[in-house]
Amino acid sequence: MAINTTDVLMIGRLGAEKLAGSVLAFNMFMVTWFFGMGLIQAVIPLGAKARGRRETREFRRIVRMGLWISVLYCLPAWCAMLFAEEILIALGQQPEIARLAGEYMIVLQWSLLPALMIMALRGFLTVMEKSRVVLIATICGALVNALLDYALIFGAFGLPRLELVGAGIASVFSSATTAAVLLYYVTHQRQLKRYAILGRIWRSDWTTFFRIIRVGTPIAITIVAEAALFAASAILIGWTGALPLAAHGIALQIASLTFMVPVGLSQAALTRVGLAAGRNDNAAIGRAGWSAFGITLMFMTSFALLFWTVPEAIISLYLDFDNPQSGEVLALAVSFLAVAALFQIADGAQIIGVNNLRGLGDTAVPLAYALVGYWVIGISLSLGLGIYLEWGGVGVWSGLAGGLATVAVLANIRFIRRQSLGLV
């Protein structure tokens, strides 16, 4: 998210149309990435249970097949992303903005493979409780992205001014840098290298491969259902014009940045719940799940207060006020961020609840909750309030909040009832 924040900060200085184009392309990329990430995320609960049972060889096979899935998934994904411009035009976007999005995507898409490999390696490191190196690798990638963004978007240091294409190139090099740091660590660190996750990497294990697919597919669909809800919100707001879409991109970027904290906590909860489930320790399952839930609510409530009290100061970081459009974008983004303050509390609660269930190996029912919450309730409210009642972007954001709150309530009630439902 630091990478995308840097992109938005710098692309925003190119004008509202180019920012709007990058928002559309990035949302499309994220939906594609999220599905692959969901498949690979099965490495964490499966690996945690294997480690909890002290089955080292099974754990190694799980990680290795996670890397296989990273490569094989990219082949059809790249083919789809080549037609980003045509897809966006078919979805009713303005041709010029769709053209800019396609220009950005043609480069950005190549960051998908290293991004997915990062997820497989991160799953291994998370289960091994070596999360600090993930932070270090991510910081390295973010620094590479910031430097190349500045150099290639604006043509600094004697390099050509490539604007959106430059931002895409920076993202590719950033993801590759992060993946390289993680790969070096897992193959050289004393405790980890004995797992030899790259040893005989060419050898298939189709039983483990399809086990990951079976567990990961409901996770992937759940994640995509949420990501597609946000992508659909960009499409809906895009119908109202480039300025609301640019404001939406800024508000969503700010909310997404704070959301990374519950994402990290949910990964920790998923791992600790999985390890405890492997030991059949229900008390430890409860401690892990509810600790993450409580910390998340405190954090998200604190930032909700910040969004309500000083929204202009936060949003102004993304705008160049020499551009005459910036004042209108600021006003729209402030109204969106006021709703985002409520919606992010629900978003944090739902990701903790869903990942607590995933740690128990429960993925099918949370998928049903996601489909109903996001696409029956969330998108219906967004359409009804935002388009038909003409509330605009505020109505669309209110719909998002309603969908997320529904999933949060359902998932956490199911975690409370885990013993009576036979999940433990």
Short mmCIF file of all heavy atoms in Angstrom, two decimals, residues 106 134 173 246 269 280 300 351 359 365 395 398 406 422:
data_model
loop_
_atom_site.label_atom_id
_atom_site.label_comp_id
_atom_site.label_asym_id
_atom_site.label_seq_id
_atom_site.Cartn_x
_atom_site.Cartn_y
_atom_site.Cartn_z
N ILE A 106 -0.69 -1.88 -19.20
CA ILE A 106 0.17 -2.68 -20.07
C ILE A 106 1.55 -2.90 -19.46
O ILE A 106 2.24 -3.87 -19.76
CB ILE A 106 0.30 -2.00 -21.47
CG1 ILE A 106 0.67 -3.05 -22.53
CG2 ILE A 106 1.31 -0.87 -21.44
CD1 ILE A 106 -0.46 -3.95 -22.91
N VAL A 134 9.60 -9.53 6.40
CA VAL A 134 8.60 -9.08 5.42
C VAL A 134 8.53 -7.55 5.45
O VAL A 134 8.45 -6.90 4.41
CB VAL A 134 7.22 -9.71 5.71
CG1 VAL A 134 6.20 -9.22 4.69
CG2 VAL A 134 7.31 -11.22 5.68
N PHE A 173 9.54 -2.97 -10.79
CA PHE A 173 10.83 -3.09 -10.13
C PHE A 173 10.68 -3.18 -8.61
O PHE A 173 11.45 -3.88 -7.94
CB PHE A 173 11.72 -1.90 -10.52
CG PHE A 173 12.46 -2.10 -11.81
CD1 PHE A 173 11.90 -1.68 -13.00
CD2 PHE A 173 13.69 -2.73 -11.84
CE1 PHE A 173 12.57 -1.87 -14.20
CE2 PHE A 173 14.36 -2.94 -13.03
CZ PHE A 173 13.80 -2.50 -14.23
N ALA A 246 -11.65 10.83 -9.28
CA ALA A 246 -10.35 11.18 -8.70
C ALA A 246 -10.46 11.32 -7.18
O ALA A 246 -9.59 10.85 -6.43
CB ALA A 246 -9.84 12.47 -9.32
N ALA A 269 -3.63 -13.41 13.35
CA ALA A 269 -4.71 -14.19 13.97
C ALA A 269 -4.92 -15.50 13.24
O ALA A 269 -5.09 -16.57 13.85
CB ALA A 269 -6.00 -13.37 13.99
N ASN A 280 -5.39 -28.59 18.81
CA ASN A 280 -6.72 -28.78 19.42
C ASN A 280 -6.86 -28.01 20.73
O ASN A 280 -7.42 -28.51 21.71
CB ASN A 280 -7.00 -30.27 19.66
CG ASN A 280 -7.12 -31.04 18.37
OD1 ASN A 280 -7.80 -30.60 17.44
ND2 ASN A 280 -6.46 -32.19 18.29
N MET A 300 -8.94 1.25 14.44
CA MET A 300 -9.79 1.82 13.40
C MET A 300 -10.67 2.94 13.94
O MET A 300 -10.97 3.91 13.23
CB MET A 300 -10.66 0.72 12.76
CG MET A 300 -9.84 -0.34 12.03
SD MET A 300 -8.74 0.35 10.77
CE MET A 300 -9.62 -0.06 9.28
N ILE A 351 -12.69 -8.41 8.46
CA ILE A 351 -11.51 -9.18 8.03
C ILE A 351 -10.96 -10.02 9.18
O ILE A 351 -10.47 -11.14 8.96
CB ILE A 351 -10.42 -8.28 7.41
CG1 ILE A 351 -9.42 -9.16 6.66
CG2 ILE A 351 -9.74 -7.43 8.46
CD1 ILE A 351 -8.41 -8.41 5.84
N GLY A 359 -8.57 -19.65 9.79
CA GLY A 359 -7.59 -20.36 10.61
C GLY A 359 -8.11 -21.70 11.09
O GLY A 359 -7.33 -22.61 11.34
N VAL A 365 -18.50 -21.24 4.27
CA VAL A 365 -19.57 -20.42 4.83
C VAL A 365 -19.20 -18.93 4.81
O VAL A 365 -20.03 -18.09 4.43
CB VAL A 365 -19.93 -20.87 6.26
CG1 VAL A 365 -20.93 -19.91 6.91
CG2 VAL A 365 -20.54 -22.28 6.20
N GLY A 395 -23.48 8.28 -1.36
CA GLY A 395 -24.39 7.14 -1.36
C GLY A 395 -23.68 5.84 -1.67
O GLY A 395 -23.95 4.80 -1.05
N SER A 398 -21.76 4.81 1.36
CA SER A 398 -22.68 4.31 2.39
C SER A 398 -23.06 2.86 2.12
O SER A 398 -23.18 2.04 3.04
CB SER A 398 -23.93 5.18 2.46
OG SER A 398 -23.60 6.52 2.80
N THR A 406 -22.45 -6.04 7.41
CA THR A 406 -23.19 -7.30 7.39
C THR A 406 -22.26 -8.49 7.54
O THR A 406 -22.49 -9.40 8.35
CB THR A 406 -23.99 -7.43 6.08
OG1 THR A 406 -24.89 -6.33 5.97
CG2 THR A 406 -24.75 -8.74 6.02
N GLY A 422 -19.12 -27.26 15.57
CA GLY A 422 -18.18 -28.33 15.25
C GLY A 422 -16.93 -27.87 14.50
O GLY A 422 -16.25 -28.67 13.87
#
